């Protein structure tokens, strides 16, 4: 499904005829979509519609699930990430992911950020210090933690932990950030901080977010895709989807008539 | 609210035509009633927006309702202004009022159809109702020129005739508000923003 993007915006991820099965369960059916660069694209739909499964296809997180079989193509900047020779670790460096529940490593704040660059080969302490500061600043967390970088990350509040996870993703310089319901475990203040952060990050990164919060999708996303029973039903600008959806099923879902 | 507003337009002009001060006062007394309807609609809409965060057709229905209530309230203000003029006319009209009541009838018909279009989500009816505004505008400029001509010929009538110029202007504005309601109906039903004025 394609949408005419605003002028000057190119396609970052192109998905062609993607099908996915968990054993016999056909969880994604012929999904084709083009996701624009440096924009926020939201996936919405009722529980079990396949939106989380789909976002996990974009950096091959589903490879980790037994009995999961995928067919079709996912092209990131034109390159099919499902080719055999693709280095999955490197792919996940390019396409970072943040999950519903903040999951900092049981280490210090500093080590959480330095961990990624270090396993990708960065050993220089000064360089690591610089990455930690830069990414914590980008994630709007620096001012809150700069005086306690060596404290355990798990001592942070939920909202701070989630921003730390975003910072950890940024530390390895990704091109795309996938957020799977990043605010559903957070209070409204922390949610609003994450939303502000997303708006800032979209200047430099392509952001894809799965959210159950319709108002959040309407507030932050530039483009919105609606999924139902494993199918992509409608894709359009957020304004079009939330103001005048074309499909009745989209309308029924976003106005709370089912789902 | 729509029904009272329609009746107010007709009654205000009838009071003026027959110089019925009693009816004029009754029209003016309706104004606070209409204001309270508008306030009620606004309160209800604000509450729905705050508590339900509506989207798509629900959102369009609520934003359109707020706008329509404002247009109806403004129309009623203008009708009250016409009623007020009834008390200011001294010694009878400069000419029998024929076209001014006709303008009021058309405006009332526009409001009636606009409200019906709102009730039945009928875009075509809304567009047809808005198209009637051309007749109101035509009568406005015809009668305006006629009154100016009469004033040039006989300056004695200037005071009463200029009151009628205001009435013309108020009726023309009522027609515009009716068109606005039609635009809101089109948006509510189709999501399309149109200019029907």
């Amino acid at each position: 499904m394609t949408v005419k993007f605003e002028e000057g915006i190119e396609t970052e991820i192109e998905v062609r005829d993607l099908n996915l099965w968990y054993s016999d369960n056909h969880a994604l059916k012929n999904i084709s979509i083009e996701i624009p660069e440096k924009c926020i694209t939201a996936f919405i739909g009722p529980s079990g519609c396949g939106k989380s499964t789909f976002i996990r296809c974009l950096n091959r997180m589903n490879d980790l699930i037994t009995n999961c079989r995928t067919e079709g193509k996912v092209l990131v900047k034109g390159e099919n990430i499902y080719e055999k020779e693709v280095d999955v670790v490197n792919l996940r460096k390019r396409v970072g992911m943040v999950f519903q529940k903040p999951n900092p490593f049981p280490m210090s704040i500093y080590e959480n950020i330095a961990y990624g660059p270090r396993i990708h080969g960065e050993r220089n302490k000064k360089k690591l210090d610089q990455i930690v500061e830069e990414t914590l600043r980008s994630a709007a967390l620096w001012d809150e933690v700069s005086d306690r970088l060596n404290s355990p990350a798990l001592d942070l509040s939920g909202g701070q932990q989630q921003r730390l996870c975003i910072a950890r993703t940024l530390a390895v310089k990704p091109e795309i950030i996938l957020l799977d319901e990043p605010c559903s475990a957070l209070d409204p203040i922390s949610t609003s901080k994450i939303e502000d952060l997303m708006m800032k990050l979209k200047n430099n990164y392509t952001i894809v977010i799965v959210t159950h919060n319709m108002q959040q999708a309407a507030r932050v996303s530039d483009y919105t895709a609606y999924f139902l029973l494993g199918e992509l039903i409608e894709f359009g600008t957020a304004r079009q989807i939330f103001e005048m959806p074309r499909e009745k099923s989209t309308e029924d879902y976003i106005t709370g008539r089912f789902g | 609210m729509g029904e009272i507003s329609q009746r107010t337009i007709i009654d205000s002009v009838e009071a003026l035509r027959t110089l019925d001060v009693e009816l004029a006062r009754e029209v003016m007394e309706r104004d606070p009633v209409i204001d309270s309807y508008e306030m009620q609609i606004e309160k209800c809409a604000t509450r729905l927006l705050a508590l339900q965060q509506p989207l798509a057709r629900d959102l369009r229905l609520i934003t359109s309702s707020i706008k329509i209530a404002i247009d109806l309230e403004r129309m009623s203000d203008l009708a009250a202004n016409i009623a007020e003029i009834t008390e200011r006319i001294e010694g009878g009209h400069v000419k029998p009022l024929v076209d001014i009541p006709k303008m009021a009838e058309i405006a009332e018909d526009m409001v009636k159809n606009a409200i019906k279009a709102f009730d039945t989500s009928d875009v075509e009816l809304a567009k047809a109702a808005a198209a009637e505004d051309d007749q109101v505008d035509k009568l406005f400029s015809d009668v305006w020129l006629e009154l100016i001509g009469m004033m040039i010929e006989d300056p004695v009538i200037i005071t009463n005739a200029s009151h009628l110029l205001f009435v013309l202007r108020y009726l023309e504005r009522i027609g515009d508000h009716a068109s606005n309601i039609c635009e809101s109906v089109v948006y509510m039903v189709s999501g399309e923003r149109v200019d029907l004025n």
Side-chain angles (χ1 to χ4, degrees):
Chain A
M1 211 171 278
T2 53
V3 168
K4 202 171 171 291
F5 300 142
E6 258 178 57
E7 220 179 293
I9 295 178
E10 302 285 332
T11 301
E12 176 90 44
I13 307 172
E14 184 182 350
V15 179
R16 284 192 213 149
D17 300 320
L18 188 79
N19 283 280
L20 182 143
W21 292 263
Y22 293 122
S23 300
D24 293 335
N25 174 17
H26 196 176
L28 290 176
K29 297 167 190 165
N30 292 315
I31 308 288
S32 292
I33 189 172
E34 288 185 25
I35 294 170
E37 61 170 4
K38 296 195 171 60
C39 287
I40 301 177
T41 302
F43 296 162
I44 59 168
S47 297
C49 70
K51 58 192 187 301
S52 282
T53 299
F54 182 62
I55 201 174
R56 293 163 62 90
C57 289
L58 304 181
N59 67 349
R60 288 183 54 177
M61 290 299 279
N62 292 320
D63 288 14
L64 308 169
I65 298 171
T66 42
N67 297 325
C68 176
R69 186 164 58 86
T70 311
E71 274 177 16
K73 284 182 179 172
V74 176
L75 309 162
V76 173
K77 292 247 166 71
E79 181 201 349
N80 184 9
I81 62 167
Y82 279 89
E83 292 292 340
K84 278 202 180 71
E85 59 273 19
V86 167
D87 173 357
V88 181
V89 173
N90 190 49
L91 168 71
R92 291 182 193 143
K93 174 174 171 286
R94 289 174 64 199
V95 188
M97 191 159 197
V98 175
F99 300 89
Q100 178 174 2
K101 205 165 163 258
N103 55 351
F105 302 137
M107 316 168 170
S108 68
I109 295 168
Y110 183 98
E111 287 303 320
N112 261 276
I113 310 288
Y115 188 85
R118 215 178 258 145
I119 62 163
H120 285 288
E122 186 57 68
R123 293 272 175 250
N124 183 323
K125 175 79 169 72
K126 256 195 180 157
K127 192 78 211 287
L128 285 171
D129 287 351
Q130 193 191 335
I131 293 173
V132 169
E133 177 169 348
E134 271 175 15
T135 52
L136 285 172
R137 278 190 194 283
S138 311
L141 192 58
W142 176 255
D143 293 342
E144 291 164 53
V145 301
S146 60
D147 58 347
R148 49 171 170 154
L149 293 175
N150 294 315
S151 311
L154 292 166
D155 286 355
L156 296 172
S157 75
Q160 288 172 326
Q161 288 188 17
Q162 195 62 306
R163 277 179 285 149
L164 180 69
C165 292
I166 294 175
R168 188 175 66 191
T169 305
L170 299 179
V172 293
K173 303 206 173 341
E175 295 152 32
I176 300 164
I177 305 169
L178 309 178
L179 303 151
D180 191 356
E181 293 187 45
C183 302
S184 56
L186 305 183
D187 69 22
I189 306 274
S190 306
T191 297
S192 136
K193 283 189 181 164
I194 302 274
E195 287 179 8
D196 290 347
L197 177 58
M198 279 193 270
M199 299 302 279
K200 197 175 86 181
L201 292 176
K202 77 170 181 175
N203 295 319
N204 300 308
Y205 305 92
T206 297
I207 297 177
V208 184
I209 175 173
V210 165
T211 176
H212 265 132
N213 181 334
M214 214 85 66
Q215 277 65 37
Q216 178 170 63
R219 271 195 303 272
V220 300
S221 72
D222 300 295
Y223 297 89
T224 307
Y226 169 63
F227 288 80
L228 181 66
L229 300 171
E231 286 179 67
L232 172 59
I233 304 293
E234 188 167 356
F235 181 45
T237 62
R239 195 177 156 175
Q240 180 255 313
I241 296 283
F242 291 108
E243 206 177 319
M244 38 181 171
R246 272 187 290 272
E247 301 293 328
K248 187 174 177 301
S249 132
T250 315
E251 171 106 38
D252 287 348
Y253 178 67
I254 64 171
T255 56
R257 282 169 175 81
F258 83 89
Chain B
M1 186 180 185
E3 270 170 31
I4 302 183
S5 304
Q6 275 171 55
R7 218 174 58 223
T8 301
I9 298 165
I10 286 293
D11 287 350
S12 67
V13 172
E14 182 58 18
L16 177 75
R17 189 182 70 83
T18 55
L19 295 175
D20 180 344
V21 177
E22 200 70 2
L23 182 59
R25 290 209 178 121
E26 201 193 308
V27 167
M28 285 186 271
E29 277 160 17
R30 275 181 223 157
D31 201 34
V33 179
I34 291 167
D35 288 355
S36 79
Y37 272 121
E38 192 229 336
M39 217 179 283
Q40 241 171 286
I41 289 168
E42 196 206 303
K43 261 192 205 164
C44 180
T46 309
R47 197 177 149 79
L48 284 168
L49 288 172
L51 300 184
Q52 305 293 334
Q53 290 117 37
L55 290 167
R57 66 170 182 255
D58 295 342
L59 179 62
R60 299 201 304 268
L61 168 67
I62 291 171
T63 53
S64 303
S65 301
I66 298 173
K67 288 185 71 180
I68 290 172
I70 293 172
D71 279 313
L72 288 172
E73 189 271 328
R74 297 305 306 276
M75 275 182 188
S76 306
D77 283 348
L78 292 164
N81 293 149
I82 294 172
E84 272 172 41
I85 286 178
T86 305
E87 292 181 331
R88 295 200 200 132
I89 301 283
E90 284 168 11
H93 286 301
V94 297
K95 70 183 206 75
L97 300 193
V98 178
D99 287 335
I100 286 179
K102 204 185 280 174
M103 280 172 86
E105 269 169 38
I106 300 167
E108 189 234 357
D109 196 53
M110 286 174 77
V111 180
K112 189 178 78 194
N113 287 327
I115 297 294
K116 194 171 167 201
F118 174 80
D119 273 345
T120 55
S121 298
D122 187 339
V123 169
E124 290 316 310
L125 182 60
K127 286 183 178 169
E132 288 184 71
D133 195 33
D134 289 347
Q135 297 173 54
V136 177
D137 290 348
K138 169 90 173 43
L139 285 167
F140 168 74
S141 49
D142 288 353
V143 181
W144 184 279
L145 289 175
E146 190 190 347
L147 286 169
I148 299 284
M150 286 169 70
M151 284 191 269
I152 292 169
E153 274 176 26
D154 181 6
V156 176
I157 65 161
I158 282 180
T159 310
N160 279 354
S162 47
H163 284 317
L164 294 182
L165 290 181
F166 275 106
V167 171
L168 284 176
R169 179 70 185 146
Y170 295 148
L171 285 169
E172 190 263 338
R173 289 297 303 146
I174 288 176
D176 289 346
H177 284 294
S179 300
N180 289 347
I181 296 178
C182 298
E183 288 173 3
S184 296
V185 172
V186 174
Y187 173 70
M188 178 190 80
V189 180
S190 67
E192 245 181 285
R193 287 192 170 83
V194 289
D195 182 5
L196 300 176
N197 267 323

